[in-house]
Amino acid sequence: MGKLFGTDGIRGVSQRRTGRRPGLQGGPGRGPGPGQGKKPGEKPLVTIGKDTRISGDLLKGSLIAGLCTAGADVLDLGTLPTPGVAWVTVDEKADAGIVISASHNPFEHNGIKIFNGQGYKLSDELEEKIEDVVLFGHNDVGRKTGGDIGKVSYVPRRPSWTTSTTWSPPSPATGRSAHPGGLCQRGSYTTAARLFDRFPKLQTDVINADPDGVNINDKCGSTHIDSLAAMVKAGGYDIGIAFDGDADRCLAVDENGVLIDGDQIMAACGLDRKG
């Protein structure tokens, strides 16, 4: 466990942390990592996505400022689940990816997750180097000027970003169209809805798709599954799916509203891959 990085990035109550250390969010952008291995004059590319928390734009703006000041270009992905940011980072051949989210935590919390160019979490050693930049100013890459500063791109999402890695669901044993009651958590609702709408035989009803910046994880998502279970059971659905705030994990309920936990989901995925 590092000074800033925990088990899954940097997390805390957003304004409390930024009020104490204004340079925190920009600091990771000025540290080592994205620019390593680049040729002279070649700018690294970093993707950034976020969930729907009200503090997300504030943190994103600070991070983009830090990255561009350090000479990195930024691809702003807007609101996108954590796995989506990792996938786009690899697909776009970016040097790093950043997610602004505090997962299942209340809205006043926020965090920064960083991926390498292969879409994986950073090593402990690299996280320590970033902490040294943020906390002590060690090995800061400096501030670029003129044409050396980075720029920001806002590229429309390609259809492949949300559809190419999904599976085609089998027809339900009942012979009727499947009705997964997708509790598409307020942090990931748009991507989840597009994914399920891709399948013509799959009728999806979405709930808790009304993000307002402060209602993420409020009585919904993978930590509050009771409402989904009741909906599935009362409505005669085949399955219900609940995502956490940044949709890097989910739980499910069966047609009787009974919880399908992570171990069961992993076992099913393993059996499917085994063929």
Side-chain angles (χ1 to χ4, degrees):
M1 192 74 70
K3 304 177 187 71
L4 295 176
F5 285 89
T7 56
D8 198 10
I10 304 170
R11 286 186 188 172
V13 177
S14 177
Q15 284 305 90
R16 183 184 303 168
R17 183 179 289 276
T18 58
R20 186 171 67 246
R21 188 176 298 278
L24 174 62
Q25 299 92 337
R30 299 196 309 274
Q36 292 181 335
K38 286 292 179 181
K39 299 177 182 177
E42 187 179 4
K43 296 178 181 178
L45 174 64
V46 180
T47 63
I48 291 186
K50 67 181 185 67
D51 64 23
T52 60
R53 293 166 209 270
I54 194 170
S55 60
D57 288 329
L58 182 153
L59 300 182
K60 182 175 70 173
S62 183
L63 275 165
I64 288 176
L67 288 162
C68 290
T69 297
D73 290 336
V74 177
L75 181 59
D76 186 348
L77 305 177
T79 300
L80 195 67
T82 290
V85 175
W87 194 90
V88 174
T89 298
V90 176
D91 189 56
E92 292 293 314
K93 297 180 174 59
D95 298 278
I98 297 176
V99 180
I100 303 168
S101 175
S103 192
H104 61 280
N105 290 321
F107 82 92
E108 61 267 22
H109 292 247
N110 217 330
I112 301 169
K113 303 179 183 181
I114 306 177
F115 299 117
N116 62 22
Q118 290 72 49
Y120 295 109
K121 294 180 181 179
L122 302 183
S123 66
D124 292 341
E125 293 75 17
L126 190 50
E127 288 182 350
E128 289 176 2
K129 291 180 180 179
I130 293 174
E131 289 179 342
D132 283 343
V133 174
V134 176
L135 296 175
F136 310 112
H138 298 164
N139 301 312
D140 193 313
V141 298
R143 291 161 174 77
K144 305 298 183 181
T145 60
D148 292 330
I149 65 173
K151 62 182 179 180
V152 183
S153 300
Y154 304 87
V155 180
R157 269 176 248 166
R158 303 175 187 168
S160 63
W161 287 3
T162 56
T163 60
S164 65
T165 57
T166 59
W167 47 270
S168 296
S171 298
T174 58
R176 57 186 172 85
S177 295
H179 291 62
L183 187 135
C184 297
Q185 164 56 262
R186 294 179 177 115
S188 59
Y189 69 103
T190 55
T191 300
R194 285 199 301 271
L195 285 174
F196 290 122
D197 286 345
R198 177 174 178 247
F199 306 112
K201 293 184 179 181
L202 191 68
Q203 179 182 330
T204 308
D205 292 330
V206 180
I207 60 176
N208 295 313
D210 56 342
D212 61 7
V214 300
N215 62 2
I216 190 171
N217 299 315
D218 184 16
K219 299 181 178 63
C220 68
S222 58
T223 53
H224 300 280
I225 206 165
D226 290 345
S227 61
L228 175 66
M231 171 186 170
V232 168
K233 188 174 180 180
Y237 293 86
D238 294 295
I239 192 172
I241 302 172
F243 298 101
D244 69 342
D246 61 335
D248 62 356
R249 57 196 169 115
C250 70
L251 294 177
V253 295
D254 66 16
E255 69 276 12
N256 297 312
V258 177
L259 177 67
I260 303 172
D261 66 22
D263 290 340
Q264 292 169 297
I265 293 172
M266 289 178 63
C269 290
L271 290 172
D272 180 73
R273 289 183 64 84
K274 184 178 179 182

